């Protein structure tokens, strides 16, 4: 996504060309419903023929009605079922509110703050993706519209249990969310055995980025690091990942019984999916030294 070029204006299609992988992804559209330039980025909303609504930021696909559950569930449930009891959660980015909705499905969560730099992403999500915003009125939810880098740097030490970095690609306002300084702020803000999880792009074409993220996380002090892959049709290569890092405890197991008996619905996540996501393909093992 970060290396996407200008879209090819093919009549009736939204196309994201991905220069680095020499591929492009397209969705047939009925119409463009909205476009605006905010102080941070260009946001477009499309109505598609088969995928519901589509949000695009700076030419890169962000969220579609049809497949966003894959990403939002994998950004939240593996980490929440790994932590013994995450009470205080911070989401950096995530302005479409889909990750916040998944986090608040966990009754152990007492407070979840979503910190997106661009309020317009959330205001447009409320209009075009109301189902993702259905938990915004939950008394445990707090929405802030400020820079996540500054927010994390100023958090009280050892005050949170989980940070989820649901950001755009490492360019523009999100660039500073992918380095050791930012991870050091996360490390400081997390309680012992706290977890950081960050979207980490495509294992097929961004292994170099995944490697550098993982080593920056270790430099920041994190004890264990694990990258989980999952399908995501609307992102380049159709395959995506998140990388978890943990303070003072490992990441090999999770609360299997809790996941098995969860009292809320999911469409992708379950115990077997979690176990499968913890298994790394050979090329990833080799590249990441696992
Ligand atoms: N799932 C998506 C993906 O990988 O394409 C990410 C979706 S979410 C809409 C990404 C959000 O990150 C955007 O709303 C953007 O405003 C936000 N963002 C980018 N840089 C940020 C920063 N420095 N602080 C807080 N939010 C940021």
């Amino acid at each position: 996504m970060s290396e996407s070029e200008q879209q090819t204006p093919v009549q009736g299609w939204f196309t994201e060309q991905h220069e680095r992988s020499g591929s492009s992804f397209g969705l047939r559209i009925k119409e463009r419903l909205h476009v605006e330039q905010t102080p941070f980025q260009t946001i477009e909303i499309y109505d598609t023929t088969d995928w519901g609504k589509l949000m695009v930021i700076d030419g890169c696909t962000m969220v579609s009605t049809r497949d966003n559950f894959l990403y939002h569930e994998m950004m939240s449930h593996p980490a929440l079922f790994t932590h013994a009891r995450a009470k205080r959660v911070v989401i950096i980015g995530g302005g479409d509110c889909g990750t916040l909705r998944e986090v608040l499905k966990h009754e152990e969560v007492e407070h979840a703050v979503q910190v997106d730099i661009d309020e317009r992403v959330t205001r447009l999500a409320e209009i075009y993706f109301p189902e993702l915003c259905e938990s915004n009125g939950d008394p445990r939810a707090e929405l802030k519209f400020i820079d996540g880098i500054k927010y994390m740097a100023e958090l009280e030490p050892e005050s949170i249990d989980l940070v989820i970095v649901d950001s755009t690609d490492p360019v523009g306002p999100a660039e500073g969310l992918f380095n050791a300084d930012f991870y050091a702020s996360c490390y400081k803000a997390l309680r012992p055995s706290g977890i950081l999880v960050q979207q980490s792009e495509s294992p097929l074409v961004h292994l170099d980025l995944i490697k550098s993220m993982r080593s920056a996380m270790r430099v920041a002090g994190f004890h264990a690091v694990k990258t989980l892959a999952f399908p995501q049709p609307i992102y380049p290569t159709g395959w995506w990942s998140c990388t978890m890092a943990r303070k003072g405890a490992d990441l090999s197991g999770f609360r299997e019984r809790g996941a098995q008996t969860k009292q809320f619905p999911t469409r992708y996540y379950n115990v077997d999916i979690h176990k499968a996501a913890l298994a790394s393909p050979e090329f990833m093992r080799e590249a990441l030294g696992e």
Side-chain angles (χ1 to χ4, degrees), residues 51-84:
W51 293 70
K53 304 289 190 296
L54 170 70
M55 180 187 284
V56 173
I57 293 185
D58 289 341
C60 301
T61 53
M62 289 287 127
V63 178
S64 87
T65 307
R66 187 169 179 178
D67 80 340
N68 75 79
F69 67 97
L70 297 160
Y71 174 90
H72 289 137
E73 291 184 15
M74 290 305 284
M75 288 293 288
S76 27
H77 302 309
L80 280 156
F81 280 119
T82 298
H83 197 285

PDB file of all heavy atoms in Angstrom, residues 51-84:
ATOM      1  N   TRP A  51     -18.732  -5.342  -2.742  1.00  0.00           N
ATOM      2  CA  TRP A  51     -17.962  -5.300  -1.493  1.00  0.00           C
ATOM      3  C   TRP A  51     -18.493  -4.258  -0.528  1.00  0.00           C
ATOM      4  O   TRP A  51     -17.827  -3.908   0.431  1.00  0.00           O
ATOM      5  CB  TRP A  51     -16.469  -5.055  -1.796  1.00  0.00           C
ATOM      6  CG  TRP A  51     -15.873  -6.229  -2.516  1.00  0.00           C
ATOM      7  CD1 TRP A  51     -16.128  -6.620  -3.808  1.00  0.00           C
ATOM      8  CD2 TRP A  51     -14.993  -7.201  -1.972  1.00  0.00           C
ATOM      9  NE1 TRP A  51     -15.447  -7.772  -4.095  1.00  0.00           N
ATOM     10  CE2 TRP A  51     -14.738  -8.153  -2.990  1.00  0.00           C
ATOM     11  CE3 TRP A  51     -14.388  -7.358  -0.729  1.00  0.00           C
ATOM     12  CZ2 TRP A  51     -13.913  -9.257  -2.779  1.00  0.00           C
ATOM     13  CZ3 TRP A  51     -13.549  -8.447  -0.529  1.00  0.00           C
ATOM     14  CH2 TRP A  51     -13.324  -9.383  -1.548  1.00  0.00           C
ATOM     15  N   GLY A  52     -19.685  -3.752  -0.786  1.00  0.00           N
ATOM     16  CA  GLY A  52     -20.240  -2.714   0.088  1.00  0.00           C
ATOM     17  C   GLY A  52     -19.486  -1.411  -0.116  1.00  0.00           C
ATOM     18  O   GLY A  52     -19.037  -1.096  -1.212  1.00  0.00           O
ATOM     19  N   LYS A  53     -19.297  -0.675   0.972  1.00  0.00           N
ATOM     20  CA  LYS A  53     -18.584   0.599   0.891  1.00  0.00           C
ATOM     21  C   LYS A  53     -17.076   0.341   0.980  1.00  0.00           C
ATOM     22  O   LYS A  53     -16.636  -0.652   1.570  1.00  0.00           O
ATOM     23  CB  LYS A  53     -18.994   1.523   2.051  1.00  0.00           C
ATOM     24  CG  LYS A  53     -20.497   1.783   2.138  1.00  0.00           C
ATOM     25  CD  LYS A  53     -20.975   2.675   1.016  1.00  0.00           C
ATOM     26  CE  LYS A  53     -22.402   3.127   1.227  1.00  0.00           C
ATOM     27  NZ  LYS A  53     -23.389   2.014   1.215  1.00  0.00           N
ATOM     28  N   LEU A  54     -16.324   1.251   0.405  1.00  0.00           N
ATOM     29  CA  LEU A  54     -14.858   1.152   0.425  1.00  0.00           C
ATOM     30  C   LEU A  54     -14.284   2.494   0.844  1.00  0.00           C
ATOM     31  O   LEU A  54     -14.647   3.525   0.273  1.00  0.00           O
ATOM     32  CB  LEU A  54     -14.348   0.798  -0.983  1.00  0.00           C
ATOM     33  CG  LEU A  54     -12.825   0.889  -1.203  1.00  0.00           C
ATOM     34  CD1 LEU A  54     -12.090  -0.213  -0.441  1.00  0.00           C
ATOM     35  CD2 LEU A  54     -12.492   0.810  -2.704  1.00  0.00           C
ATOM     36  N   MET A  55     -13.391   2.484   1.856  1.00  0.00           N
ATOM     37  CA  MET A  55     -12.670   3.709   2.224  1.00  0.00           C
ATOM     38  C   MET A  55     -11.245   3.616   1.686  1.00  0.00           C
ATOM     39  O   MET A  55     -10.579   2.586   1.847  1.00  0.00           O
ATOM     40  CB  MET A  55     -12.623   3.912   3.744  1.00  0.00           C
ATOM     41  CG  MET A  55     -11.874   5.189   4.129  1.00  0.00           C
ATOM     42  SD  MET A  55     -11.617   5.390   5.922  1.00  0.00           S
ATOM     43  CE  MET A  55     -13.240   5.903   6.441  1.00  0.00           C
ATOM     44  N   VAL A  56     -10.804   4.695   1.055  1.00  0.00           N
ATOM     45  CA  VAL A  56      -9.456   4.765   0.477  1.00  0.00           C
ATOM     46  C   VAL A  56      -8.765   5.994   1.068  1.00  0.00           C
ATOM     47  O   VAL A  56      -9.379   7.055   1.144  1.00  0.00           O
ATOM     48  CB  VAL A  56      -9.565   4.909  -1.061  1.00  0.00           C
ATOM     49  CG1 VAL A  56      -8.203   5.151  -1.692  1.00  0.00           C
ATOM     50  CG2 VAL A  56     -10.231   3.676  -1.677  1.00  0.00           C
ATOM     51  N   ILE A  57      -7.527   5.843   1.534  1.00  0.00           N
ATOM     52  CA  ILE A  57      -6.756   7.000   2.023  1.00  0.00           C
ATOM     53  C   ILE A  57      -5.487   7.107   1.189  1.00  0.00           C
ATOM     54  O   ILE A  57      -4.736   6.133   1.053  1.00  0.00           O
ATOM     55  CB  ILE A  57      -6.413   6.882   3.529  1.00  0.00           C
ATOM     56  CG1 ILE A  57      -7.702   6.966   4.363  1.00  0.00           C
ATOM     57  CG2 ILE A  57      -5.437   7.982   3.947  1.00  0.00           C
ATOM     58  CD1 ILE A  57      -7.499   6.975   5.888  1.00  0.00           C
ATOM     59  N   ASP A  58      -5.276   8.279   0.629  1.00  0.00           N
ATOM     60  CA  ASP A  58      -4.117   8.542  -0.236  1.00  0.00           C
ATOM     61  C   ASP A  58      -3.936   7.445  -1.293  1.00  0.00           C
ATOM     62  O   ASP A  58      -2.820   6.972  -1.547  1.00  0.00           O
ATOM     63  CB  ASP A  58      -2.838   8.700   0.609  1.00  0.00           C
ATOM     64  CG  ASP A  58      -2.840  10.002   1.389  1.00  0.00           C
ATOM     65  OD1 ASP A  58      -3.606  10.928   1.039  1.00  0.00           O
ATOM     66  OD2 ASP A  58      -2.080  10.109   2.366  1.00  0.00           O
ATOM     67  N   GLY A  59      -5.036   7.017  -1.882  1.00  0.00           N
ATOM     68  CA  GLY A  59      -4.986   6.032  -2.970  1.00  0.00           C
ATOM     69  C   GLY A  59      -4.890   4.594  -2.498  1.00  0.00           C
ATOM     70  O   GLY A  59      -4.862   3.676  -3.328  1.00  0.00           O
ATOM     71  N   CYS A  60      -4.786   4.354  -1.186  1.00  0.00           N
ATOM     72  CA  CYS A  60      -4.632   2.985  -0.657  1.00  0.00           C
ATOM     73  C   CYS A  60      -5.932   2.510  -0.024  1.00  0.00           C
ATOM     74  O   CYS A  60      -6.536   3.233   0.783  1.00  0.00           O
ATOM     75  CB  CYS A  60      -3.543   2.941   0.402  1.00  0.00           C
ATOM     76  SG  CYS A  60      -1.940   3.462  -0.188  1.00  0.00           S
ATOM     77  N   THR A  61      -6.303   1.271  -0.328  1.00  0.00           N
ATOM     78  CA  THR A  61      -7.517   0.712   0.273  1.00  0.00           C
ATOM     79  C   THR A  61      -7.329   0.590   1.788  1.00  0.00           C
ATOM     80  O   THR A  61      -6.275   0.175   2.267  1.00  0.00           O
ATOM     81  CB  THR A  61      -7.809  -0.696  -0.292  1.00  0.00           C
ATOM     82  OG1 THR A  61      -6.636  -1.479  -0.139  1.00  0.00           O
ATOM     83  CG2 THR A  61      -8.199  -0.644  -1.748  1.00  0.00           C
ATOM     84  N   MET A  62      -8.361   0.972   2.535  1.00  0.00           N
ATOM     85  CA  MET A  62      -8.311   0.894   4.001  1.00  0.00           C
ATOM     86  C   MET A  62      -9.290  -0.141   4.524  1.00  0.00           C
ATOM     87  O   MET A  62      -8.938  -1.046   5.252  1.00  0.00           O
ATOM     88  CB  MET A  62      -8.716   2.253   4.615  1.00  0.00           C
ATOM     89  CG  MET A  62      -7.727   3.352   4.448  1.00  0.00           C
ATOM     90  SD  MET A  62      -6.292   3.101   5.517  1.00  0.00           S
ATOM     91  CE  MET A  62      -4.994   3.230   4.311  1.00  0.00           C
ATOM     92  N   VAL A  63     -10.567   0.049   4.162  1.00  0.00           N
ATOM     93  CA  VAL A  63     -11.631  -0.762   4.759  1.00  0.00           C
ATOM     94  C   VAL A  63     -12.704  -1.001   3.715  1.00  0.00           C
ATOM     95  O   VAL A  63     -13.109  -0.073   3.021  1.00  0.00           O
ATOM     96  CB  VAL A  63     -12.285   0.024   5.923  1.00  0.00           C
ATOM     97  CG1 VAL A  63     -13.420  -0.759   6.540  1.00  0.00           C
ATOM     98  CG2 VAL A  63     -11.279   0.369   7.000  1.00  0.00           C
ATOM     99  N   SER A  64     -13.175  -2.242   3.603  1.00  0.00           N
ATOM    100  CA  SER A  64     -14.406  -2.485   2.833  1.00  0.00           C
ATOM    101  C   SER A  64     -15.418  -3.146   3.765  1.00  0.00           C
ATOM    102  O   SER A  64     -15.042  -3.839   4.719  1.00  0.00           O
ATOM    103  CB  SER A  64     -14.150  -3.375   1.609  1.00  0.00           C
ATOM    104  OG  SER A  64     -14.256  -4.738   1.963  1.00  0.00           O
ATOM    105  N   THR A  65     -16.684  -2.933   3.473  1.00  0.00           N
ATOM    106  CA  THR A  65     -17.748  -3.522   4.300  1.00  0.00           C
ATOM    107  C   THR A  65     -17.589  -5.037   4.348  1.00  0.00           C
ATOM    108  O   THR A  65     -17.758  -5.656   5.397  1.00  0.00           O
ATOM    109  CB  THR A  65     -19.120  -3.182   3.685  1.00  0.00           C
ATOM    110  OG1 THR A  65     -19.193  -1.773   3.496  1.00  0.00           O
ATOM    111  CG2 THR A  65     -20.263  -3.655   4.571  1.00  0.00           C
ATOM    112  N   ARG A  66     -17.220  -5.627   3.220  1.00  0.00           N
ATOM    113  CA  ARG A  66     -17.270  -7.081   3.105  1.00  0.00           C
ATOM    114  C   ARG A  66     -16.142  -7.809   3.825  1.00  0.00           C
ATOM    115  O   ARG A  66     -16.349  -8.912   4.334  1.00  0.00           O
ATOM    116  CB  ARG A  66     -17.248  -7.448   1.611  1.00  0.00           C
ATOM    117  CG  ARG A  66     -17.453  -8.905   1.341  1.00  0.00           C
ATOM    118  CD  ARG A  66     -17.675  -9.119  -0.131  1.00  0.00           C
ATOM    119  NE  ARG A  66     -17.856 -10.511  -0.442  1.00  0.00           N
ATOM    120  CZ  ARG A  66     -18.113 -10.965  -1.666  1.00  0.00           C
ATOM    121  NH1 ARG A  66     -18.228 -10.124  -2.675  1.00  0.00           N
ATOM    122  NH2 ARG A  66     -18.261 -12.237  -1.874  1.00  0.00           N
ATOM    123  N   ASP A  67     -14.942  -7.242   3.842  1.00  0.00           N
ATOM    124  CA  ASP A  67     -13.835  -8.053   4.376  1.00  0.00           C
ATOM    125  C   ASP A  67     -13.116  -7.453   5.586  1.00  0.00           C
ATOM    126  O   ASP A  67     -12.137  -8.032   6.049  1.00  0.00           O
ATOM    127  CB  ASP A  67     -12.830  -8.386   3.266  1.00  0.00           C
ATOM    128  CG  ASP A  67     -11.879  -7.236   2.969  1.00  0.00           C
ATOM    129  OD1 ASP A  67     -12.200  -6.081   3.307  1.00  0.00           O
ATOM    130  OD2 ASP A  67     -10.801  -7.504   2.410  1.00  0.00           O
ATOM    131  N   ASN A  68     -13.613  -6.321   6.119  1.00  0.00           N
ATOM    132  CA  ASN A  68     -12.850  -5.690   7.209  1.00  0.00           C
ATOM    133  C   ASN A  68     -12.771  -6.564   8.469  1.00  0.00           C
ATOM    134  O   ASN A  68     -11.872  -6.392   9.288  1.00  0.00           O
ATOM    135  CB  ASN A  68     -13.425  -4.308   7.554  1.00  0.00           C
ATOM    136  CG  ASN A  68     -14.711  -4.409   8.343  1.00  0.00           C
ATOM    137  OD1 ASN A  68     -14.696  -4.652   9.546  1.00  0.00           O
ATOM    138  ND2 ASN A  68     -15.844  -4.268   7.682  1.00  0.00           N
ATOM    139  N   PHE A  69     -13.727  -7.500   8.627  1.00  0.00           N
ATOM    140  CA  PHE A  69     -13.721  -8.315   9.855  1.00  0.00           C
ATOM    141  C   PHE A  69     -12.435  -9.122  10.013  1.00  0.00           C
ATOM    142  O   PHE A  69     -11.974  -9.365  11.134  1.00  0.00           O
ATOM    143  CB  PHE A  69     -14.954  -9.236   9.915  1.00  0.00           C
ATOM    144  CG  PHE A  69     -14.988 -10.314   8.866  1.00  0.00           C
ATOM    145  CD1 PHE A  69     -14.556 -11.604   9.162  1.00  0.00           C
ATOM    146  CD2 PHE A  69     -15.465 -10.059   7.591  1.00  0.00           C
ATOM    147  CE1 PHE A  69     -14.600 -12.618   8.200  1.00  0.00           C
ATOM    148  CE2 PHE A  69     -15.501 -11.059   6.610  1.00  0.00           C
ATOM    149  CZ  PHE A  69     -15.064 -12.329   6.921  1.00  0.00           C
ATOM    150  N   LEU A  70     -11.848  -9.526   8.887  1.00  0.00           N
ATOM    151  CA  LEU A  70     -10.626 -10.333   8.955  1.00  0.00           C
ATOM    152  C   LEU A  70      -9.539  -9.553   9.694  1.00  0.00           C
ATOM    153  O   LEU A  70      -8.922 -10.036  10.642  1.00  0.00           O
ATOM    154  CB  LEU A  70     -10.145 -10.665   7.531  1.00  0.00           C
ATOM    155  CG  LEU A  70     -11.104 -11.505   6.695  1.00  0.00           C
ATOM    156  CD1 LEU A  70     -10.795 -11.366   5.218  1.00  0.00           C
ATOM    157  CD2 LEU A  70     -11.016 -12.956   7.123  1.00  0.00           C
ATOM    158  N   TYR A  71      -9.327  -8.341   9.249  1.00  0.00           N
ATOM    159  CA  TYR A  71      -8.280  -7.488   9.813  1.00  0.00           C
ATOM    160  C   TYR A  71      -8.613  -7.065  11.245  1.00  0.00           C
ATOM    161  O   TYR A  71      -7.788  -7.204  12.154  1.00  0.00           O
ATOM    162  CB  TYR A  71      -8.123  -6.268   8.900  1.00  0.00           C
ATOM    163  CG  TYR A  71      -7.180  -5.202   9.378  1.00  0.00           C
ATOM    164  CD1 TYR A  71      -5.828  -5.239   9.021  1.00  0.00           C
ATOM    165  CD2 TYR A  71      -7.621  -4.148  10.173  1.00  0.00           C
ATOM    166  CE1 TYR A  71      -4.960  -4.251   9.453  1.00  0.00           C
ATOM    167  CE2 TYR A  71      -6.756  -3.161  10.605  1.00  0.00           C
ATOM    168  CZ  TYR A  71      -5.426  -3.216  10.242  1.00  0.00           C
ATOM    169  OH  TYR A  71      -4.574  -2.240  10.670  1.00  0.00           O
ATOM    170  N   HIS A  72      -9.818  -6.552  11.449  1.00  0.00           N
ATOM    171  CA  HIS A  72     -10.148  -6.018  12.783  1.00  0.00           C
ATOM    172  C   HIS A  72     -10.128  -7.108  13.851  1.00  0.00           C
ATOM    173  O   HIS A  72      -9.688  -6.875  14.977  1.00  0.00           O
ATOM    174  CB  HIS A  72     -11.509  -5.309  12.740  1.00  0.00           C
ATOM    175  CG  HIS A  72     -11.456  -4.019  11.976  1.00  0.00           C
ATOM    176  ND1 HIS A  72     -12.425  -3.624  11.078  1.00  0.00           N
ATOM    177  CD2 HIS A  72     -10.529  -3.039  11.969  1.00  0.00           C
ATOM    178  CE1 HIS A  72     -12.092  -2.443  10.575  1.00  0.00           C
ATOM    179  NE2 HIS A  72     -10.942  -2.076  11.089  1.00  0.00           N
ATOM    180  N   GLU A  73     -10.588  -8.291  13.500  1.00  0.00           N
ATOM    181  CA  GLU A  73     -10.577  -9.375  14.494  1.00  0.00           C
ATOM    182  C   GLU A  73      -9.151  -9.834  14.801  1.00  0.00           C
ATOM    183  O   GLU A  73      -8.816 -10.101  15.962  1.00  0.00           O
ATOM    184  CB  GLU A  73     -11.434 -10.556  13.996  1.00  0.00           C
ATOM    185  CG  GLU A  73     -12.917 -10.205  13.975  1.00  0.00           C
ATOM    186  CD  GLU A  73     -13.817 -11.374  13.571  1.00  0.00           C
ATOM    187  OE1 GLU A  73     -13.354 -12.535  13.563  1.00  0.00           O
ATOM    188  OE2 GLU A  73     -14.995 -11.104  13.258  1.00  0.00           O
ATOM    189  N   MET A  74      -8.307  -9.894  13.768  1.00  0.00           N
ATOM    190  CA  MET A  74      -6.937 -10.368  14.021  1.00  0.00           C
ATOM    191  C   MET A  74      -6.055  -9.313  14.671  1.00  0.00           C
ATOM    192  O   MET A  74      -5.050  -9.635  15.280  1.00  0.00           O
ATOM    193  CB  MET A  74      -6.308 -10.875  12.709  1.00  0.00           C
ATOM    194  CG  MET A  74      -6.935 -12.167  12.218  1.00  0.00           C
ATOM    195  SD  MET A  74      -6.898 -13.513  13.451  1.00  0.00           S
ATOM    196  CE  MET A  74      -5.188 -14.023  13.368  1.00  0.00           C
ATOM    197  N   MET A  75      -6.432  -8.066  14.568  1.00  0.00           N
ATOM    198  CA  MET A  75      -5.693  -7.006  15.259  1.00  0.00           C
ATOM    199  C   MET A  75      -6.029  -6.978  16.751  1.00  0.00           C
ATOM    200  O   MET A  75      -5.312  -6.367  17.536  1.00  0.00           O
ATOM    201  CB  MET A  75      -6.023  -5.635  14.651  1.00  0.00           C
ATOM    202  CG  MET A  75      -5.432  -5.407  13.278  1.00  0.00           C
ATOM    203  SD  MET A  75      -3.628  -5.305  13.278  1.00  0.00           S
ATOM    204  CE  MET A  75      -3.376  -3.708  14.046  1.00  0.00           C
ATOM    205  N   SER A  76      -7.155  -7.579  17.130  1.00  0.00           N
ATOM    206  CA  SER A  76      -7.547  -7.462  18.533  1.00  0.00           C
ATOM    207  C   SER A  76      -7.597  -8.777  19.296  1.00  0.00           C
ATOM    208  O   SER A  76      -6.999  -8.880  20.377  1.00  0.00           O
ATOM    209  CB  SER A  76      -8.900  -6.738  18.660  1.00  0.00           C
ATOM    210  OG  SER A  76      -9.679  -6.902  17.535  1.00  0.00           O
ATOM    211  N   HIS A  77      -8.311  -9.772  18.803  1.00  0.00           N
ATOM    212  CA  HIS A  77      -8.555 -10.957  19.643  1.00  0.00           C
ATOM    213  C   HIS A  77      -7.305 -11.787  19.986  1.00  0.00           C
ATOM    214  O   HIS A  77      -7.190 -12.236  21.133  1.00  0.00           O
ATOM    215  CB  HIS A  77      -9.662 -11.816  19.027  1.00  0.00           C
ATOM    216  CG  HIS A  77     -10.939 -11.045  18.849  1.00  0.00           C
ATOM    217  ND1 HIS A  77     -11.508 -10.314  19.873  1.00  0.00           N
ATOM    218  CD2 HIS A  77     -11.721 -10.844  17.763  1.00  0.00           C
ATOM    219  CE1 HIS A  77     -12.594  -9.707  19.424  1.00  0.00           C
ATOM    220  NE2 HIS A  77     -12.742 -10.014  18.140  1.00  0.00           N
ATOM    221  N   PRO A  78      -6.365 -12.019  19.063  1.00  0.00           N
ATOM    222  CA  PRO A  78      -5.182 -12.789  19.499  1.00  0.00           C
ATOM    223  C   PRO A  78      -4.465 -12.114  20.668  1.00  0.00           C
ATOM    224  O   PRO A  78      -4.091 -12.779  21.640  1.00  0.00           O
ATOM    225  CB  PRO A  78      -4.302 -12.832  18.235  1.00  0.00           C
ATOM    226  CG  PRO A  78      -5.286 -12.746  17.106  1.00  0.00           C
ATOM    227  CD  PRO A  78      -6.354 -11.787  17.597  1.00  0.00           C
ATOM    228  N   ALA A  79      -4.314 -10.801  20.622  1.00  0.00           N
ATOM    229  CA  ALA A  79      -3.617 -10.110  21.729  1.00  0.00           C
ATOM    230  C   ALA A  79      -4.456 -10.150  23.001  1.00  0.00           C
ATOM    231  O   ALA A  79      -3.941 -10.405  24.095  1.00  0.00           O
ATOM    232  CB  ALA A  79      -3.324  -8.665  21.335  1.00  0.00           C
ATOM    233  N   LEU A  80      -5.758  -9.927  22.875  1.00  0.00           N
ATOM    234  CA  LEU A  80      -6.608  -9.890  24.072  1.00  0.00           C
ATOM    235  C   LEU A  80      -6.756 -11.271  24.710  1.00  0.00           C
ATOM    236  O   LEU A  80      -6.927 -11.370  25.932  1.00  0.00           O
ATOM    237  CB  LEU A  80      -7.977  -9.296  23.718  1.00  0.00           C
ATOM    238  CG  LEU A  80      -7.944  -7.759  23.641  1.00  0.00           C
ATOM    239  CD1 LEU A  80      -9.053  -7.221  22.752  1.00  0.00           C
ATOM    240  CD2 LEU A  80      -8.046  -7.143  25.033  1.00  0.00           C
ATOM    241  N   PHE A  81      -6.686 -12.333  23.901  1.00  0.00           N
ATOM    242  CA  PHE A  81      -6.743 -13.675  24.495  1.00  0.00           C
ATOM    243  C   PHE A  81      -5.351 -14.184  24.891  1.00  0.00           C
ATOM    244  O   PHE A  81      -5.229 -15.263  25.444  1.00  0.00           O
ATOM    245  CB  PHE A  81      -7.437 -14.665  23.550  1.00  0.00           C
ATOM    246  CG  PHE A  81      -8.940 -14.561  23.610  1.00  0.00           C
ATOM    247  CD1 PHE A  81      -9.673 -14.226  22.481  1.00  0.00           C
ATOM    248  CD2 PHE A  81      -9.623 -14.782  24.802  1.00  0.00           C
ATOM    249  CE1 PHE A  81     -11.064 -14.113  22.538  1.00  0.00           C
ATOM    250  CE2 PHE A  81     -11.009 -14.670  24.874  1.00  0.00           C
ATOM    251  CZ  PHE A  81     -11.726 -14.337  23.740  1.00  0.00           C
ATOM    252  N   THR A  82      -4.312 -13.401  24.597  1.00  0.00           N
ATOM    253  CA  THR A  82      -2.972 -13.750  25.079  1.00  0.00           C
ATOM    254  C   THR A  82      -2.746 -13.106  26.442  1.00  0.00           C
ATOM    255  O   THR A  82      -2.211 -13.728  27.361  1.00  0.00           O
ATOM    256  CB  THR A  82      -1.898 -13.274  24.069  1.00  0.00           C
ATOM    257  OG1 THR A  82      -2.123 -13.949  22.827  1.00  0.00           O
ATOM    258  CG2 THR A  82      -0.497 -13.597  24.563  1.00  0.00           C
ATOM    259  N   HIS A  83      -3.159 -11.855  26.578  1.00  0.00           N
ATOM    260  CA  HIS A  83      -3.030 -11.162  27.864  1.00  0.00           C
ATOM    261  C   HIS A  83      -3.974 -11.813  28.887  1.00  0.00           C
ATOM    262  O   HIS A  83      -5.091 -12.202  28.547  1.00  0.00           O
ATOM    263  CB  HIS A  83      -3.383  -9.682  27.693  1.00  0.00           C
ATOM    264  CG  HIS A  83      -2.898  -8.834  28.818  1.00  0.00           C
ATOM    265  ND1 HIS A  83      -3.491  -8.819  30.058  1.00  0.00           N
ATOM    266  CD2 HIS A  83      -1.840  -7.988  28.900  1.00  0.00           C
ATOM    267  CE1 HIS A  83      -2.831  -7.991  30.854  1.00  0.00           C
ATOM    268  NE2 HIS A  83      -1.828  -7.476  30.179  1.00  0.00           N
ATOM    269  N   ALA A  84      -3.513 -11.913  30.139  1.00  0.00           N
ATOM    270  CA  ALA A  84      -4.349 -12.554  31.174  1.00  0.00           C
ATOM    271  C   ALA A  84      -5.633 -11.761  31.418  1.00  0.00           C
ATOM    272  O   ALA A  84      -6.711 -12.334  31.605  1.00  0.00           O
ATOM    273  CB  ALA A  84      -3.564 -12.678  32.469  1.00  0.00           C
TER     274      ALA A  84
END
